[in-house]
Amino acid sequence: AVQMTQSPSSLSASVGDRVTITCRTSQDIRNHLGWYQEKPGKAPQLLIYDASGLQSGVPVRFSGSGSGTNFTLTISSLQPEDFATYYCLQDYTYPRFTFGPGTKVEIK
Amino acid sequence: EVQLLESGGTLVQPGGSLTLSCAASRFTFSAYAMTWVRQAPAKGLEWVSTIGDDGSLTHYADSVKGRFTISRDNSKNMVYLHIKSLRGDDTAVYYCAKPMGVAGLNWFESWGKGTLVTVSS
């Protein structure tokens, strides 16, 4: 099974900051990684697919990069609505999936 | 716009069973695999189970294998999750999810609002 780690587990940042979240996998998954944003009481929202593809409707301040075992989600200029928890997800082992443990982005 | 509406979540005693339902609309249901994802209180997201478009193939997380059964009825645009031998760690919000529309893009693009299962005596 593919093991997922995310770092940091939480971070505090201010509006306008550049934020980077890292996801690492226990084996090479090529570009089979997505990123989700979750807010309390709401269903998760797909932000990035195939490591770097921006999902339709998602602001361009969100970007993804990486391949193999190391991936990053970057928010270029943090906005008030971006305070949330972010999860990576691998589908290399489709139809079995694995989520990362999550990174909570809080207001400094 | 795709609609997914989960139901069936309730308070259940340990060892009990229940069936969750997900009603799908506004897309060609029979063309998509469907997935259940859960989130325990104050915990992360966990993939639970996926069923193929015609229902012939099913897949489960190791944590639920043998206790959970996913099924679908394409004539009714419904997907189900039957859970037996419920345990406290099954307490979670259960989401139904649909993948993107492009072949090979399996990412969960559409989600329901979730249904809460609470396992407690």
Side-chain angles (χ1 to χ4, degrees):
Chain A
V2 177
Q3 307 299 319
M4 315 279 286
T5 60
Q6 283 183 236
S7 59
S9 56
S10 65
L11 65 90
S12 296
S14 300
V15 172
D17 284 354
R18 182 181 182 88
V19 170
T20 298
I21 299 169
T22 297
C23 179
R24 291 191 170 87
T25 58
S26 60
Q27 66 183 71
D28 185 344
I29 62 167
R30 296 190 291 175
N31 71 332
H32 289 255
L33 192 101
W35 290 95
Y36 286 82
Q37 177 192 68
E38 187 192 40
K39 296 180 179 179
K42 298 188 73 176
Q45 179 189 4
L46 177 64
L47 302 175
I48 301 290
Y49 62 92
D50 289 357
S52 60
L54 186 67
Q55 170 66 347
S56 175
V58 174
V60 296
R61 62 180 180 273
F62 290 93
S63 64
S65 65
S67 66
T69 62
N70 289 280
F71 303 86
T72 59
L73 172 70
T74 300
I75 309 172
S76 60
S77 178
L78 197 66
Q79 299 301 300
E81 60 269 29
D82 301 337
F83 292 96
T85 301
Y86 294 85
Y87 294 91
C88 55
L89 172 69
Q90 69 83 18
D91 84 334
Y92 182 74
T93 55
Y94 179 83
R96 300 173 63 86
F97 299 81
T98 313
F99 284 95
T103 295
K104 187 172 184 178
V105 177
E106 299 175 301
I107 302 173
K108 182 182 284 184
Chain B
E1 182 184 347
V2 167
Q3 287 197 341
L4 299 169
L5 183 61
E6 303 94 338
S7 61
T10 188
L11 172 64
V12 187
Q13 292 192 338
S17 63
L18 82 165
T19 298
L20 306 181
S21 301
C22 173
S25 60
R26 303 185 182 178
F27 67 100
T28 305
F29 180 73
S30 60
Y32 295 88
M34 295 296 293
T35 292
W36 288 94
V37 173
R38 70 181 178 181
Q39 184 171 37
K43 299 290 187 182
L45 298 167
E46 180 185 18
W47 170 76
V48 171
S49 180
T50 295
I51 187 167
D53 56 4
D54 66 0
S56 62
L57 295 175
T58 58
H59 308 273
Y60 300 94
D62 289 344
S63 58
V64 307
K65 199 174 295 184
R67 297 189 302 117
F68 287 31
T69 302
I70 190 171
S71 62
R72 64 191 295 161
D73 185 339
N74 284 352
S75 69
K76 297 181 178 178
N77 288 3
M78 297 288 294
V79 59
Y80 306 99
L81 188 69
H82 180 69
I83 309 173
K84 65 180 182 180
S85 304
L86 276 153
R87 312 185 306 215
D89 61 359
D90 294 320
T91 294
V93 174
Y94 286 74
Y95 294 101
C96 171
K98 169 196 168 290
M100 297 173 78
V102 180
L105 290 180
N106 309 308
W107 310 105
F108 311 132
E109 179 183 50
S110 302
W111 300 63
K113 295 184 183 301
T115 188
L116 176 62
V117 174
T118 303
V119 183
S120 176
S121 55

